[in-house]
Structures are given as structure tokens and as C-alpha cells.
Amino acid sequence: MGWTGKDEATPSTRIATVVNSLQRTERRVAECILADMDLIVELTAQEVAERAGVARSTVIRTCQTLGYRGYPQLRVALARELAQSASAVADYGSSALGRIRADIFALSMALPQIADVLTESAVEEAVQRITSANRVLVLANGLSSPLASDLAMRLTAIGRPTEFVSDPIGQQISARQLRPADACVVISGSGANESSIKAARSARAANAVLIVVTSFASSPLVSLADIALVVAPAHGSFRHELEYTSRVPHTILIESLVEIVSGRLGEASRSARSTVLGILSDNLSDD
């Protein structure tokens, strides 16, 4: 599976979202590009091939998989991305606070890219299904589990009652009891968590609508999904996503989805929020 996102997405974003589906030799080219973009932009296709230890034709094929006509178009895109990064460099020092500020700045520069793989049709259908489903079940495991719990609570608070199950076996049981008019949302950064895949298969067996939120366009969960919401990693590499597993992009998507669903629910959502605020007020201490 090749690149299916927006044309203006940067090379690093394109690589990050499809690298796990590339052929072994194509992945070597992609990893070579990410390892030193400053150098790669100065090299010919043959020189990149020699550096990656592959044939020149593999370099061209990798470029095409990433959505470019060939290597010259990739070089232009790399030069553009490098220029944008260079113009945004900021020095915050080496202190702990400086590092925090630098990380926040780097994230702010990457955030515009996280929607580059989302499509209008997928987002609209996901919102419609979540809003109109008889039941909504949200599932996740590992580091994505808190996001699923948060999504379920947020949707419930706006008048869209939503269930969350944390136990992996319980997830499969709950998903298998869904009906065709129900929706199951599975969140997984990698799209390859085995427990989440089993739960997704249970939802598919129940003929419920399966909505997947992930960072990688080619993954086992996406292959199962009726609707795939692919959010590009905040940091442009598969390795960084695996090592640091940033869930900031997913958090942003989830918060936006909740607000959109709330708008679609109209007066029912406003009434539910009023009730929630009353409950919160009753539970605040006077101290």
C-alpha cells in the first residue's frame, strides 16, 4: 500500500505513516532518507542506492510508493521540508526548562502535519456513525488505553452514552455482543496491538461498524476497519513512534471529534453538559 494522503505532506510524514508496510529494500531506502535528509537531498538516486545497499530501481520505486513521480520530485520535497525546518529553529538552551520549551516548539511545528493522512469522507462518516449508533464501544490497550477511557467519558458527558472496557478478554466479549447498528472505536498508535486486533475481530464478527484510530496507514487494524482515521505521528519516524509513543496527535483528534459530535447532537448535548456541570459543581469543595 502506498501513499494515499495529501500531496502537500512532507516526505518525513509520508514515510512515517507507511514505513511499516514497505518492502524490506524500500524500508532501507526510507530509513536512509530519514537518517540524514540534509545529505540525501544532495545525492543522486544512484548514490542513495549505494548508501542504502539497494538497486537504483528500488530508490525510484520507493519514491513512487511515497507518492512522488520519481527521485527528483522527492529531492525537491526534501529541500522544501529542510528549508521550513531551518527557518523555524529556536535555541532554548540546555537546561531542563529549555529542553521542555524546545520539545514544545518542535511539537508545534509538527502538529500541522498530523492531519495530512485524514480524509474528509472518513472523518465525516466516523462522526455520523458515532452520533447515530445505538451503542458505542471504545476499546484500547497499553499506552492507548487512557485515551479510550477519556473518549468514552467525554462522549458520555456530551449526551452520547459510550462504553469503555479495559480488560482484554472483556473487550472481546463486549465487542462480540454488538449489533450492526452499533459502533466500535478501537484506538492503537501502532495499529498492531494483538489484544486490540482480537477485540476488533470480535466487533467485525458482530457486524458492528469498526472505526480505527491509528498512526500507520498500513497495519492489521486498518485492514479490518470500516473507517480508518490515520493520524500522522507528531515526530516523523516510525522508530520515534515506537520508542516514545507520543499520543498528542490522537488526543487532539479525539477532542475535536467530541466537539463535532456535540454540535451534531444539538440541544441534547447542551442539556447533557448542563447536567454534568451541575454534578461537577456539587462535588467541588468549598475550601
Side-chain angles (χ1 to χ4, degrees), residues 24 52 124 132 162-163 165 220 241 263 271:
R24 181 177 56 85
E124 181 59 38
S132 63
T162 302
E163 306 161 46
V165 179
E241 175 66 14
S271 177

Side-chain angles (χ1 to χ4, degrees), residues 137-149 164-172 175 184-201 213 221 241 245 247 250:
L137 176 66
V138 182
L139 306 173
N141 293 279
L143 292 175
S144 295
S145 188
L147 294 178
S149 175
F164 166 70
V165 179
S166 59
D167 177 73
I169 300 299
Q171 291 176 0
Q172 295 177 52
C184 181
V185 181
V186 179
I187 305 172
S188 173
S190 67
N193 183 284
E194 190 60 36
S195 294
S196 296
I197 292 171
K198 289 179 179 178
R201 286 174 178 157
V213 178
L221 276 175
E241 175 66 14
T245 54
R247 293 295 174 260
H250 301 101

Side-chain angles (χ1 to χ4, degrees), residues 227-245:
I227 306 166
L229 301 180
V230 181
V231 190
H235 300 278
S237 76
F238 182 65
R239 177 181 176 184
H240 194 289
E241 175 66 14
L242 291 181
E243 291 180 349
Y244 300 100
T245 54

